[in-house]
Amino acid sequence: MHIIKLTDVSYSYKVPAEDDSYTWQVGVKNIDLEIEQGSFVALVGHNGCGKSTLAKLLNGLFVPHSGKVEVAGMFTDDNKSIFNIRSNVGMVFQNPDNQMVTSIVEEDIAFGPENLGVPQKEIVERVHWALAKVGMSEFARRTTTRLSGGQKQRIAIAGALAMHPQVLVLDESTAMLDPQGRKEVLEVVHSLNKEEKMTVILITHFMEEVLGADKVVVMNHGCKVTEGTPMEVFSRSRLLEEVGLKVPRTIELARRLKSAGWNVDENCTDATELGDRVCQLLHNN
Amino acid sequence: MFRDVTFGQYYPSDSFVHKMDARVKLLLNLVYLVGIFFVVSFVGFAWITLFLLVAILASRVPVRNVLKSVKGVLFLLFFTVILNIFFTKGDNLLVKWWIIEIYAEGLIFAGKMFLRLSYLVIGSSILTLTTTPVDLTHALESLLKPLTWIKVPVHDLALIMSLALSLIPSLINETDRIIRAQKARGADFDTGGLIKRAKAFVPILIPLLVSSFRRAEELAFAMNSRCYEGATHRTCMRVMKLSWRDFLGTSVVLVFFVAVFIVYGTQTTWGTAEQLGWLYF
Amino acid sequence: MSIVAQQLNYIYNKGTPFEKHALCDVNVEIGDGEFVAIVGHTGSGKTTFVQHLNALIRLQSGQLKVGDIDLTEKKTDLKKLRGMVGMVFQYPEYQLFADTVEADIAFGPKNIGIDGEKIADIVRESLDLVGMSESVLKKSPFDLSGGEKRRVALAGVLAMQPRILVLDEPTAGLDPQGKREILSLVKKLNRERGITVIMVSHDMNEVFENVDRVIVFREGKVVHDLPPRDLFRMEEDIVNMNLEIPYVAQFLNSLEKHGITFDEDIRTVDQAFEAVNGLKGGK
């Protein structure tokens, strides 16, 4: 069953031109997309391809100029449902420093439920639950300023979780992190997807990050170019190249060896394993 | 580089004063600030000194840290003292040299001014050393709540304060980064005349402005995503509760300052200022 | 232009409870025309080290010579030094400020006192170096795309005609295409212009594919200083330091364990494929 459904969605930005008039610049164009409840979807594309615009359409920060965005049976152009939609679709943005509302960790996480008018006692429970889910319980009373980038993003995730959403959207939330921070964030969202059956939409241009996804959606110039399982998408390497993306190195090597006649697993993601297999083949003959 | 504005001067501890309610501390600080203006004699200042020592002891903040707060206003203190020494005229001339005349009254007046100003700062810093800026914001919001009746947007103001507190550290980092980046491009902020120096700040201010706007936009998206729509229907996680400490602390402070008021306040109203003469101030 | 650092030590917030020993007896020598990567965990001291190179951080103890400038001396010619060592910060596009791209690129050369008449030529040349056309010269830098802004910022540093280029995570936040463009540009500067390049990076794949030498910082100390192939052979060590092993290195290590080695220096997927495919009998 789908939790989010986009039908022919388009959105453009107003760009001021030289005289007092303005022109329109395409954000996304004619997007059709269904996202299954409980699935892990990766959305990839080069910078400026429209993936962040798409993210903001998912919780009604932007309302489509044409087409419909349906979230859990509600439509984002219906003003009455907007808060219901936003509490259902938690968002985490790119810059960890620009999404904190207060400087105490637990108070920041409480911001969402406070806005929703959740009773005080329940907020405390939600905050503790959310902190535990991102593995940061001991940071409840700390200030946000001296956390690492990865920790800040986990707090931002907890802030979204405290609204009890069904969907979590990460809008390039790993782009500014170091490898350690990226790992932390990915571990948290994967475990949320598995344990809490949370629907996750991960927007990224690190192709290694899409490996664990159920579905990959590739975008270019505001349009959906292709979608499928990670391996299906990686097999369209020419297309990926055209839109400025790259197959992860190990898979690229495996696929090239395979097409040169080596009997290796073309979906191999572990370089050591691939090396072992190559040696095995060499020894056998 | 360590400049954590979020903490301000906050000195982490579990003391009696730390555990008091921020609202109570804020109000008691006001009582103190007003009360200290009734103190007119050195004996009075001795009592205030005792009072401050008790407060500092109860806050378990090292005296050195408390005195550090005076360092910030040292220039102002120095200036006031010098002015008072040279420009207060009286009956007891001590030194006369060229056009400079120093009177005993000037010295005493300057001494009291020094004590009064530094005690103002020390008293307030006990508040800021034991209370985080976040708690102070909450306290202000709670105390000013009645003003919402006359349409003062208390909640919005408090939110702005709290946003500022959380954004300032990253803004400082950003400024630091931009300064370094422009220095690496040969920018010189330290030499040249006033105009040249003012112009040198353009390459810092513009990127800072641009990034502040970007921050503001991203923050607005983040707040909207978390269902923010102003103060309506909002609940609050933080509950502020009064404890025995607040009653005890309040009693001590009030008893002390009522005594101060009785001793000094009455003298003023009876017009003993003239009788006291220069001893008054 | 070579760099010689001996026994560098640096302590932040000396004498306060927040004291932090950021550099500990660092000895590094970098020769003219090298392409070096500096890697290490966040807070390992790598940024502190590179900021010493153009005196953004002043020497506390130890000796440092950059070209013919001795930073140990009290008075260093900062203008000359900063012209010699170009420093590209993380997200350099955030330092753009002028009305036009032209004025922004000219900022650096003007500051270090390059002749006014020459500057116009240098600006055009720098823009050309980063692969942008002259048509953007009169545009506002704020109207460009993210990738273009970064290249303009880079041109602003190149316009100072540095002999040493220090880049702090030059590809952070870019998409794969943008990363490739920046890296090939840096490589070109190194190969064709002989500019010494020092690149701070978190991306070990990027490091493995591009540089000649890797210096690893850990808790303020230099713990490794090796060619990339040798460094990433020590898998356990690398993992312990919380760094990643490049995929191609993993593949080569696995082959080596089975006794298969190659004479050529293999860094990229292409090279790995060609080398393996050249072996007889696997198909």
Side-chain angles (χ1 to χ4, degrees):
Chain A
M1 211 192 67
H2 68 255
I3 176 123
I4 292 180
K5 187 177 176 185
L6 279 73
T7 344
D8 198 24
V9 169
S10 298
Y11 183 89
S12 298
Y13 292 94
K14 230 183 204 177
V15 184
E18 300 202 343
D19 34 38
D20 280 334
S21 68
Y22 49 83
T23 54
W24 294 93
Q25 191 187 332
V26 175
V28 294
K29 213 166 74 190
N30 307 108
I31 302 265
D32 286 303
L33 184 66
E34 270 188 36
I35 288 169
E36 291 296 306
Q37 179 128 38
S39 66
F40 195 113
V41 178
L43 195 62
V44 296
H46 63 81
N47 287 347
C49 72
K51 50 194 198 302
S52 284
T53 311
L54 190 65
K56 293 188 179 87
L57 285 159
L58 297 178
N59 75 345
L61 285 175
F62 293 163
V63 176
H65 293 146
S66 71
K68 290 269 181 196
V69 178
E70 185 193 332
V71 177
M74 299 169 283
F75 290 95
T76 56
D77 52 3
D78 175 13
N79 255 332
K80 271 176 253 137
S81 329
I82 199 71
F83 288 105
N84 210 340
I85 287 173
R86 284 187 185 157
S87 64
N88 259 303
V89 183
M91 280 268 208
V92 181
F93 294 91
Q94 183 177 22
N95 192 331
D97 287 324
N98 296 354
Q99 13 185 345
M100 300 283 170
V101 199
T102 88
S103 34
I104 304 287
V105 166
E106 64 175 7
E107 288 184 20
D108 187 73
I109 297 171
F111 185 69
E114 283 176 347
N115 290 331
L116 292 169
V118 174
Q120 191 269 337
K121 278 216 176 89
E122 198 191 325
I123 297 182
V124 175
E125 282 163 23
R126 285 188 183 204
V127 167
H128 286 207
W129 170 79
L131 272 169
K133 278 290 150 202
V134 299
M136 294 205 48
S137 297
E138 69 270 37
F139 288 86
R141 298 290 305 150
R142 303 267 189 97
T143 56
T144 52
T145 35
R146 288 216 264 149
L147 302 177
S148 72
Q151 288 172 330
K152 281 183 191 165
Q153 289 299 55
R154 277 149 73 197
I155 297 303
I157 293 174
L161 287 181
M163 301 190 301
H164 285 177
Q166 300 188 63
V167 185
L168 194 61
V169 180
L170 292 104
D171 185 3
E172 299 208 51
S173 310
T174 57
M176 295 182 80
L177 305 180
D178 61 6
Q180 174 73 27
R182 253 180 21 230
K183 218 167 89 188
E184 290 169 15
V185 168
L186 286 174
E187 273 168 16
V188 164
V189 287
H190 276 288
S191 83
L192 284 169
N193 176 247
K194 294 224 169 59
E195 287 164 22
E196 301 292 320
K197 306 275 172 272
M198 181 87 62
T199 310
V200 175
I201 301 172
L202 178 76
I203 298 175
T204 183
H205 49 235
F206 291 103
M207 294 304 278
E208 278 83 6
E209 289 179 5
V210 312
L211 280 172
D214 300 314
K215 180 157 94 170
V216 181
V217 179
V218 182
M219 289 187 62
N220 192 32
H221 297 310
C223 301
K224 189 174 84 179
V225 181
T226 182
E227 64 179 304
T229 64
M231 293 311 164
E232 280 167 11
V233 169
F234 290 152
S235 68
R236 295 161 205 159
S237 60
R238 175 108 23 102
L239 180 72
L240 287 180
E241 201 83 22
E242 271 168 34
V243 301
L245 297 173
K246 219 168 147 35
V247 176
R249 287 170 176 84
T250 309
I251 295 179
E252 191 192 342
L253 183 57
R255 282 176 194 270
R256 289 186 66 179
L257 286 169
K258 176 88 179 175
S259 59
W262 293 71
N263 185 20
V264 294
D265 176 10
E266 59 177 350
N267 293 339
C268 184
T269 55
D270 184 332
T272 309
E273 225 169 75
L274 184 65
D276 288 344
R277 177 69 185 154
V278 165
C279 292
Q280 197 188 353
L281 290 169
L282 285 167
H283 282 293
N284 288 350
N285 296 331
Chain B
M1 208 158 302
F2 181 81
R3 281 178 292 184
D4 202 338
V5 187
T6 325
F7 266 136
Q9 301 178 294
Y10 185 68
Y11 183 90
S13 169
D14 256 346
S15 77
F16 181 90
V17 184
H18 280 77
K19 281 184 176 163
M20 280 172 69
D21 189 297
R23 291 168 299 176
V24 174
K25 279 190 271 186
L26 198 66
L27 287 177
L28 291 182
N29 197 248
L30 276 179
V31 172
Y32 170 83
L33 294 183
V34 174
I36 203 166
F37 273 98
F38 286 99
V39 177
V40 291
S41 72
F42 282 113
V43 180
F45 280 113
W47 282 106
I48 296 284
T49 312
L50 186 73
F51 173 79
L52 283 176
L53 279 175
V54 171
I56 292 171
L57 218 63
S59 73
R60 279 197 249 140
V61 179
V63 178
R64 206 164 59 103
N65 289 49
V66 182
L67 291 181
K68 231 190 231 164
S69 59
V70 184
K71 230 169 84 181
V73 290
L74 214 56
F75 178 76
L76 181 76
L77 280 176
F78 180 75
F79 196 70
T80 319
V81 166
I82 293 293
L83 267 177
N84 280 309
I85 289 179
F86 290 124
F87 292 103
T88 310
K89 302 267 181 277
D91 306 322
N92 306 298
L93 187 66
L94 295 178
V95 180
K96 189 171 161 66
W97 179 75
W98 191 41
I99 53 162
I100 293 168
E101 289 172 342
I102 293 177
Y103 295 89
E105 288 88 342
L107 279 181
I108 288 167
F109 188 62
K112 284 183 179 168
M113 213 51 190
F114 175 81
L115 285 173
R116 180 163 296 137
L117 284 177
S118 40
Y119 280 15
L120 274 178
V121 176
I122 289 173
S124 310
S125 72
I126 293 178
L127 174 70
T128 50
L129 280 162
T130 60
T131 323
T132 60
V134 178
D135 284 337
L136 276 179
T137 310
H138 281 294
L140 267 178
E141 182 180 3
S142 166
L143 289 173
L144 296 180
K145 205 160 242 164
L147 292 184
T148 37
W149 286 98
I150 53 161
K151 303 268 183 243
V152 177
V154 175
H155 166 74
D156 297 313
L157 291 175
L159 184 77
I160 290 169
M161 256 174 87
S162 127
L163 281 174
L165 283 174
S166 69
L167 279 182
I168 284 171
S170 44
L171 222 55
I172 288 178
N173 280 339
E174 180 92 11
T175 314
D176 195 53
R177 259 177 40 130
I178 294 170
I179 290 177
R180 275 165 198 265
Q182 306 299 31
K183 267 190 182 167
R185 292 167 82 190
D188 183 359
F189 305 114
D190 308 318
T191 57
L194 199 64
I195 293 174
K196 191 177 165 235
R197 280 199 201 193
K199 266 173 115 176
F201 280 99
V202 173
I204 298 171
L205 286 178
I206 299 221
L208 205 57
L209 217 64
V210 171
S211 87
S212 300
F213 280 120
R214 198 186 51 245
R215 266 171 210 284
E217 193 190 6
E218 285 177 22
L219 190 64
F221 279 131
M223 287 172 66
N224 277 331
S225 293
R226 288 159 80 183
C227 300
Y228 184 69
E229 54 163 347
T232 39
H233 330 295
R234 231 177 161 265
T235 47
C236 190
M237 178 179 77
R238 161 99 55 139
V239 269
M240 284 184 274
K241 258 202 235 133
L242 298 179
S243 72
W244 60 270
R245 290 185 190 85
D246 299 304
F247 293 109
L248 181 58
T250 310
S251 321
V252 171
V253 176
L254 284 185
V255 165
F256 182 83
F257 278 102
V258 165
V260 166
F261 185 76
I262 289 171
V263 174
Y264 297 99
T266 45
Q267 287 177 352
T268 349
T269 38
W270 288 345
T272 39
E274 286 83 31
Q275 294 155 19
L276 281 165
W278 50 268
L279 249 178
Y280 178 84
F281 252 109
Chain C
M1 199 82 40
S2 60
I3 296 166
V4 185
Q6 283 172 321
Q7 293 301 111
L8 281 194
N9 276 281
Y10 194 86
I11 301 166
Y12 283 105
N13 302 304
K14 220 171 179 169
T16 73
F18 307 104
E19 188 172 294
K20 187 174 182 274
H21 215 126
L23 290 181
C24 240
D25 299 336
V26 170
N27 294 299
V28 170
E29 245 177 79
I30 296 170
D32 198 12
E34 278 196 80
F35 191 164
V36 182
I38 293 187
V39 306
H41 214 242
T42 308
S44 60
K46 53 190 193 319
T47 311
T48 309
F49 173 70
V50 295
Q51 293 199 359
H52 270 86
L53 300 180
N54 69 349
L56 281 178
I57 290 178
R58 292 313 296 260
L59 208 64
Q60 268 182 356
S61 84
Q63 271 145 34
L64 180 60
K65 265 186 95 167
V66 179
D68 54 356
I69 298 180
D70 190 348
L71 277 89
T72 322
E73 281 164 19
K74 274 258 154 60
K75 259 206 151 348
T76 32
D77 187 347
L78 282 183
K79 282 201 167 148
K80 189 177 166 200
L81 180 68
R82 288 182 179 155
M84 223 159 72
V85 185
M87 175 102 46
V88 181
F89 278 75
Q90 234 181 59
Y91 300 99
E93 55 273 28
Y94 294 161
Q95 75 194 31
L96 299 175
F97 70 95
D99 301 339
T100 62
V101 169
E102 186 174 25
D104 210 293
I105 298 177
F107 179 67
K110 249 186 214 158
N111 283 333
I112 57 167
I114 291 181
D115 219 354
E117 285 161 27
K118 279 196 201 151
I119 288 179
D121 288 336
I122 291 175
V123 168
R124 283 181 171 70
E125 198 195 346
S126 309
L127 204 59
D128 186 50
L129 260 180
V130 299
M132 290 181 73
S133 78
E134 282 184 20
S135 62
V136 298
L137 277 176
K138 297 288 172 211
K139 275 195 184 175
S140 160
F142 300 107
D143 287 340
L144 304 175
S145 78
E148 287 172 326
K149 276 186 204 161
R150 185 163 302 186
R151 280 191 274 166
V152 168
L154 196 56
V157 174
L158 292 176
M160 294 162 74
Q161 306 191 301
R163 294 306 304 153
I164 297 168
L165 193 60
V166 180
L167 303 132
D168 191 357
E169 288 195 66
T171 63
L174 295 179
D175 54 32
Q177 175 77 27
K179 278 186 187 172
R180 253 175 295 171
E181 283 170 10
I182 292 282
L183 282 169
S184 71
L185 165 66
V186 172
K187 235 172 170 168
K188 194 174 87 181
L189 292 169
N190 177 250
R191 299 276 140 84
E192 292 173 14
R193 307 231 154 189
I195 296 178
T196 310
V197 177
I198 299 166
M199 180 172 83
V200 174
S201 179
H202 280 306
D203 186 337
M204 296 304 128
N205 285 296
E206 186 177 291
V207 166
F208 190 70
E209 284 169 6
N210 292 289
V211 309
D212 306 323
R213 176 180 162 196
V214 190
I215 299 172
V216 187
F217 274 79
R218 187 186 194 180
E219 285 161 16
K221 294 188 185 87
V222 173
V223 286
H224 291 295
D225 186 347
L226 292 167
R229 182 72 199 100
D230 296 333
L231 175 71
F232 293 112
R233 202 170 267 135
M234 304 181 284
E235 290 197 349
E236 212 172 306
D237 224 29
I238 303 295
V239 173
N240 278 341
M241 284 188 289
N242 249 325
L243 299 175
E244 292 168 325
I245 306 161
Y247 297 105
V248 176
Q250 270 180 46
F251 179 72
L252 294 174
N253 291 344
S254 158
L255 292 184
E256 264 182 20
K257 269 181 216 130
H258 296 277
I260 299 169
T261 54
F262 302 95
D263 291 334
E264 59 266 48
D265 189 14
I266 295 168
R267 303 285 192 81
T268 63
V269 168
D270 275 338
Q271 292 165 344
F273 169 73
E274 296 299 338
V276 170
N277 204 31
L279 296 170
K280 294 262 179 304
K283 291 180 199 177

